[in-house]
Amino acid sequence: MDAKAPITHDVLTIPRKLPEGPQNLIGLSRDQMRDALIAAGTKEKQAKMRVGQIWQWIYHWGVRDFSEMTNLAKDYRAMLAETFVIELPQVVTRQVSEDGTRKYLVRIAGGHEVEVVYIPETDRGTLCISSQVGCTLTCSFCHTGTQKLVRNLTAAEIVGQVMVARDDLGEWPVPGAPKDETRLLSNIVLMGMGEPLYNFENVRDAMKIAMDPEGISLSRRRITLSTSGVVPEIARTAQEIGCQLAISFHATTDDVRDRLVPINKRWPIADLLDVLREYPKVSNSERITFEYVMLDGVNDSDEDAHRLVKLIDGIPAKINLIPFNEWPGAPYKRSSNNRIRKFADIIYHAGYASPIRKPRGEDIMAACGQLKSATERSRKSKAQIAQEAGL
Ligand code: SAH
Ligand code: SF4
């Protein structure tokens, strides 16, 4: 085999409705649920109302058993139980870090596994969810990128991660209890395993469900989608999801970005910046987050900081500096704290917020870019990782 041949991975897409067995109601849009109820014998005139009722039970109250849907007639509940299921990913392991971060390994159809991370803060909490098993892209500093096995998650499996976290946090409302506006799970970031814009429809449908005001009801401002830069799908993200956007930028020249984020060979920095200049206008989002991983001696010089500021000129932005999180066999080192601070200062003095992301859950390998299912069978060799990094 040619050593330079790109590593390709097949992405499997699991159909929503499996050929046999009951259909899962989780992950269906309101329209899809309506169609499914009509196909199961619900009168067309009543279907919309039934969707409203079932939707509230599932997504507002967190009910998983049709028999508890007490505003539906008994025989209707029995019909639902025969035809449908309410099925979530199964939590296989749950680890809690010294700093309170929780990492769940969840199993989905086909025995695949993905990781989900909950990061508590004083007045809020962020859930970092996955959009694919592994990732077809091969960013050389990312642990997930070394995983060969890849499949897209379904909408059910994506919103299901939010639901299992709410289960674990005990955060479904209790009937009659006073409404508590502070939420343990108040924000979602699509920063787990996978490239969300390579699984656009399922990510969109899942986030629509999470935003629906009669269910989980998270504002679009509290959802951030992170992409390595799939240029053609960025405008669609603004139009069809409207959430906040984070870009894995990581380098200030095409030469370095080609090595760190290989998708840059397809959509180089100039193309990416062109589409970003349009983004806030379309989605009304205030600022785009530029994520920048700090790699010792690779992308962390003063010149890089100055170039970065010049490149993003005119884009409402904040720059999130991520100290590199090491993983076994990683071909890079984290920049020193002094270097990171110096870099941050240059950006800050140019007028941009430049927070340094505090690594969370490092002791349980839950920090950014460390995720990778422990059970996956095949992995790239160190030599392959180094070769792709151009080392
Ligand atoms: N695929 C998407 C989202 C998942 S990665 C994307 O690339 O944007 C979430 C963030 O973690 C990205 O900015 C990614 O570049 C960063 N990241 C990956 N590996 C990392 C590591 N080892 N240390 C620090 N950040 C990392
Ligand atoms: Fe995939 Fe994002 Fe990791 Fe790159 S950084 S390999 S796009 S998950």
Side-chain angles (χ1 to χ4, degrees):
M1 202 182 108
D2 176 4
K4 288 232 167 74
I7 314 281
T8 53
H9 315 264
D10 292 326
V11 183
L12 308 172
T13 302
I14 299 284
R16 264 211 179 96
K17 191 172 176 185
L18 297 169
E20 72 247 20
Q23 185 179 10
N24 193 5
L25 287 182
I26 304 286
L28 301 184
S29 65
R30 281 175 180 268
D31 283 349
Q32 287 166 335
M33 197 187 285
R34 183 174 173 273
D35 292 347
L37 294 181
I38 292 171
T42 306
K43 289 201 188 83
E44 278 202 28
K45 269 202 294 188
Q46 292 183 340
K48 196 170 171 211
M49 185 173 79
R50 296 284 170 256
V51 170
Q53 290 167 313
I54 297 168
W55 192 278
Q56 259 210 341
W57 284 117
I58 297 178
Y59 295 115
H60 178 77
W61 298 110
V63 162
R64 304 293 153 73
D65 189 335
F66 293 109
S67 66
E68 289 173 42
M69 301 186 176
T70 47
N71 57 356
L72 299 172
K74 268 214 173 113
D75 54 347
Y76 192 73
R77 284 185 249 162
M79 180 284 287
L80 290 175
E82 260 172 40
T83 325
F84 300 107
V85 286
I86 300 172
E87 209 168 74
L88 298 181
Q90 183 198 347
V91 178
V92 185
T93 58
R94 170 184 179 277
Q95 288 170 276
V96 183
S97 152
E98 282 168 5
D99 68 15
T101 301
R102 300 182 190 194
K103 182 168 87 170
Y104 310 97
L105 182 68
V106 302
R107 186 168 297 148
I108 53 173
H112 300 294
E113 288 167 351
V114 289
E115 292 183 324
V116 187
V117 177
Y118 172 72
I119 306 143
E121 281 155 279
T122 25
D123 52 353
R124 58 185 228 160
T126 300
L127 192 72
C128 178
I129 61 175
S130 294
S131 55
Q132 297 183 311
V133 178
C135 186
T136 48
L137 301 173
T138 51
C139 303
S140 50
F141 53 88
C142 173
H143 205 205
T144 310
T146 68
Q147 185 166 331
K148 271 187 181 168
L149 193 66
V150 180
R151 96 151 159 79
N152 277 338
L153 299 193
T154 62
E157 290 161 349
I158 298 169
V159 72
Q161 296 170 56
V162 180
M163 299 172 77
V164 294
R166 292 195 93 192
D167 284 353
D168 187 50
L169 295 165
E171 199 169 39
W172 297 104
V174 179
K179 211 170 166 206
D180 185 359
E181 293 297 344
T182 54
R183 291 221 200 170
L184 293 171
L185 197 171
S186 60
N187 293 63
I188 295 176
V189 292
L190 281 144
M191 294 188 186
M193 298 163 72
E195 169 48 61
L197 296 188
Y198 273 171
N199 186 13
F200 187 87
E201 280 85 5
N202 289 330
V203 165
R204 175 199 58 203
D205 293 354
M207 291 305 99
K208 290 271 178 213
I209 294 171
M211 289 189 262
D212 189 292
E214 276 162 51
I216 301 166
S217 187
L218 281 175
S219 142
R220 63 182 187 83
R221 293 183 185 283
R222 293 182 172 271
I223 298 177
T224 304
L225 183 152
S226 173
T227 178
S228 57
V230 185
V231 162
E233 304 287 9
I234 289 178
R236 253 184 112 192
T237 307
Q239 284 150 4
E240 297 180 34
I241 312 177
C243 59
Q244 307 295 303
L245 189 69
I247 300 290
S248 294
F249 206 63
H250 305 322
T252 60
T253 63
D254 280 324
D255 189 34
V256 176
R257 195 161 191 270
D258 281 352
R259 274 194 288 142
L260 299 182
V261 189
I263 201 181
N264 192 69
K265 292 182 199 153
R266 182 121 181 239
W267 292 294
I269 291 176
D271 294 7
L272 179 58
L273 291 173
D274 277 349
V275 77
L276 295 180
R277 289 210 162 80
E278 293 301 313
Y279 191 83
K281 283 180 231 153
V282 186
S283 76
N284 291 322
S285 66
E286 296 107 10
R287 282 186 300 179
I288 291 172
T289 301
F290 285 77
E291 297 166 280
Y292 199 97
V293 64
M294 298 299 293
L295 303 171
D296 184 30
V298 176
N299 63 353
D300 62 350
S301 67
D302 286 358
E303 294 73 49
D304 278 308
H306 290 296
R307 252 196 312 265
L308 178 59
V309 168
K310 267 213 191 105
L311 283 171
I312 63 171
D313 186 35
I315 302 177
K318 83 168 178 198
I319 293 134
N320 211 331
L321 300 177
I322 318 174
F324 175 58
N325 294 310
E326 296 184 9
W327 38 271
Y332 302 107
K333 294 247 161 311
R334 180 184 291 185
S335 309
S336 71
N337 288 344
N338 279 345
R339 183 86 298 268
I340 300 177
R341 254 181 262 123
K342 184 87 194 300
F343 197 95
D345 278 351
I346 294 173
I347 293 165
Y348 181 76
H349 284 114
Y352 295 95
S354 55
I356 300 169
R357 191 179 292 171
K358 197 168 146 230
R360 298 285 304 262
E362 278 185 300
D363 53 333
I364 54 167
M365 286 278 285
C368 285
Q370 290 185 324
L371 304 183
K372 169 162 158 163
S373 61
T375 54
E376 89 50 42
R377 266 155 267 131
S378 58
R379 58 167 298 175
K380 290 179 196 166
S381 65
K382 267 191 186 182
Q384 228 169 9
I385 296 167
Q387 185 219 325
E388 282 166 20
L391 299 175

